[in-house]
Amino acid sequence: MITADILLVDSNDNPVGTMEKMEAHRRGLLHRAFSVFIFNAAGDMLLQQRALNKYHSGGLWTNACCSHPYPEEDIDSAAHRRLFEELGFSAPLKKAFSFVYRAEFDNGLTEHEFDHVFVGKYDGPIHPNQSEVNDYCYRSPEEIEASMLSHPARFTAWFHLAFPRVREWIKNSDLCTG
């Protein structure tokens, strides 16, 4: 497994240091992250099923991609980079909002993230990186909501928190209609 340093932050997203990624997750320290949500022209959301061998949440469904910026990397550049690395395409992204969450996993790791959420629109081909993505699909927000209610354990912890906020943000934006 490739390891890298991530940026530790305070509750206002101010950098306070760096740490090796897995160590930060073992200790549950707050760090900078991002989540990318992609919609097609019909308003359906791109979901990815995380690769089964991911260090946590393997096999669960979630937003298009998510990760951590490199310590010296701009968050917007990191979101674009990772979207291409995981799904093999580029798309214009717009920063929607940020939120902080903490989720503990059965394997002893903890996600404690200051998560920057980006939203974009894309209708082209998808070329998933199989070491990151097990499967993907587009679903309507209504289908996703129904599935989350009937099978909540099939979705990542952060998706449960971010999805309702993204839906609200979309209602107040022209992203899927413009």
Side-chain angles (χ1 to χ4, degrees):
M1 179 184 305
I2 297 173
T3 61
D5 285 350
I6 58 175
L7 187 63
L8 303 177
V9 296
D10 66 16
S11 61
N12 293 312
D13 197 36
N14 296 309
V16 297
T18 61
M19 183 174 285
E20 190 275 323
K21 179 174 84 170
M22 294 307 291
E23 181 63 18
H25 287 96
R26 279 189 285 275
R27 294 175 59 184
L29 299 177
L30 184 61
H31 56 276
R32 187 174 291 164
F34 59 87
S35 295
V36 177
F37 287 75
I38 297 292
F39 292 83
N40 63 18
D44 296 333
M45 181 185 289
L46 176 61
L47 296 175
Q48 76 147 275
Q49 184 184 36
R50 289 169 59 89
L52 301 177
N53 64 346
K54 294 295 281 187
Y55 62 100
H56 68 72
S57 306
L60 298 184
W61 288 92
T62 196
N63 48 288
C65 80
C66 51
S67 191
H68 312 95
Y70 299 131
E72 300 299 323
E73 186 178 28
D74 170 85
I75 193 77
D76 184 68
S77 298
H80 283 91
R81 171 185 53 80
R82 195 63 185 161
L83 180 62
F84 188 80
E85 288 173 357
E86 288 195 24
L87 293 167
F89 68 86
S90 298
L93 301 176
K94 182 183 247 183
K95 172 86 180 283
F97 57 88
S98 297
F99 71 105
V100 174
Y101 78 95
R102 182 182 178 94
E104 296 179 12
F105 302 101
D106 292 340
N107 64 0
L109 299 178
T110 299
E111 281 285 15
H112 189 194
E113 295 187 335
F114 194 108
D115 195 9
H116 297 259
V117 176
F118 292 86
V119 179
K121 187 173 169 181
Y122 181 75
D123 281 292
I126 298 171
H127 307 283
N129 176 340
Q130 293 182 348
S131 67
E132 299 288 339
V133 179
N134 192 56
D135 199 2
Y136 68 92
C137 63
Y138 277 100
R139 294 288 184 262
S140 73
E142 295 77 19
E143 288 176 289
I144 295 168
E145 183 175 32
S147 186
M148 288 174 68
L149 288 171
S150 63
H151 303 289
R154 292 184 183 170
F155 295 87
T156 62
W158 60 91
F159 189 76
H160 280 279
L161 299 171
F163 174 73
R165 294 184 66 180
V166 168
R167 283 193 76 185
E168 189 61 33
W169 185 86
I170 289 292
K171 286 179 190 175
N172 298 314
S173 112
D174 62 358
L175 181 74
C176 291
T177 58

